[in-house]
């Protein structure tokens, strides 16, 4: 004979004084015991992928310099271009390649960066490609 054989077949007790609790309310009783608060955010952050920046070859650097020189000769007309830049990630190793479209306003020699007409600053060392935009007459 087992320990609970005397009560195992008895009907489930239902209170006459209190309404039965919904399944959502029953589950909510245990939410304060979620000891790993913030764990889900940490898992999502570690799953977020980043890329490694690549080193440009001498030929690529020379081609970028040539395009930059041409843009600088026309800087008063605010020439348009699409800059592909490597943006380091603030939280983990690596980063992402981003494309920034805009019109060149000036070269900031102190910050060693390009400034666009919308105020965006692009560090020269982050640029990996430049596409000139065609001028409209």
């Amino acid at each position: 004979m087992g320990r609970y054989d005397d009560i195992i077949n008895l009907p489930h007790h239902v209170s006459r004084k209190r309404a039965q609790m919904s399944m959502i309310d029953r589950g909510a009783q245990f939410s304060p015991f979620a000891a790993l608060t913030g764990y889900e955010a940490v898992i999502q952050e570690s799953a977020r992928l980043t890329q490694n920046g690549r080193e440009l070859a001498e030929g690529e650097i020379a081609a970028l310099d040539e395009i930059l020189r041409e843009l600088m000769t026309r800087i008063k007309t605010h020439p348009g271009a699409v800059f592909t830049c490597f943006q380091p990630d603030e939280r983990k190793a690596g980063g992402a390649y981003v494309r920034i479209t805009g019109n060149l306003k000036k070269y900031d020699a102190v910050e060693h960066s390009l400034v666009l007409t919308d105020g965006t600053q692009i560090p020269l060392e982050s640029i990996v490609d430049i596409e000139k935009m065609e001028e409209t007459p």
Side-chain angles (χ1 to χ4, degrees):
M1 185 150 166
R3 281 179 74 180
Y4 301 105
D5 284 348
D6 59 333
I7 62 170
I8 197 80
N9 292 320
L10 292 178
H12 177 72
H13 172 73
V14 177
S15 175
R16 293 183 203 149
K17 297 179 183 177
R18 295 199 171 110
Q20 196 167 7
M21 191 181 286
S22 71
M23 292 299 271
I24 292 173
D25 290 339
R26 290 176 77 183
Q29 295 180 79
F30 301 100
S31 65
F33 299 104
L36 299 175
T37 304
Y39 179 71
E40 188 68 30
V42 170
I43 294 297
Q44 287 177 348
E45 176 61 25
S46 65
R48 188 172 54 84
L49 299 176
T50 59
Q51 296 174 316
N52 292 325
R54 66 179 186 88
E55 204 57 39
L56 296 178
E58 284 186 37
E60 292 173 309
I61 293 171
L64 285 176
D65 285 344
E66 183 66 32
I67 295 170
L68 273 175
R69 269 196 289 277
E70 183 187 333
L71 290 174
M72 296 306 276
T73 62
R74 299 184 298 131
I75 199 153
K76 290 185 181 185
T77 64
H78 303 295
V82 179
F83 301 92
T84 302
C85 309
F86 182 75
Q87 198 170 53
D89 195 284
E90 295 176 358
R91 295 187 182 139
K92 59 198 291 188
Y97 286 97
V98 294
R99 292 172 53 92
I100 302 169
T101 303
N103 295 79
L104 190 57
K105 180 179 180 181
K106 68 177 183 174
Y107 168 69
D108 187 339
V110 174
E111 296 290 326
H112 200 60
S113 64
L114 300 176
V115 180
L116 304 182
T117 54
D118 66 0
T120 303
Q121 280 199 307
I122 304 172
L124 285 180
E125 63 272 1
S126 73
I127 299 172
V128 295
D129 189 36
I130 302 172
E131 299 170 34
K132 296 182 288 183
M133 293 171 51
E134 295 298 319
E135 298 289 322
T136 54

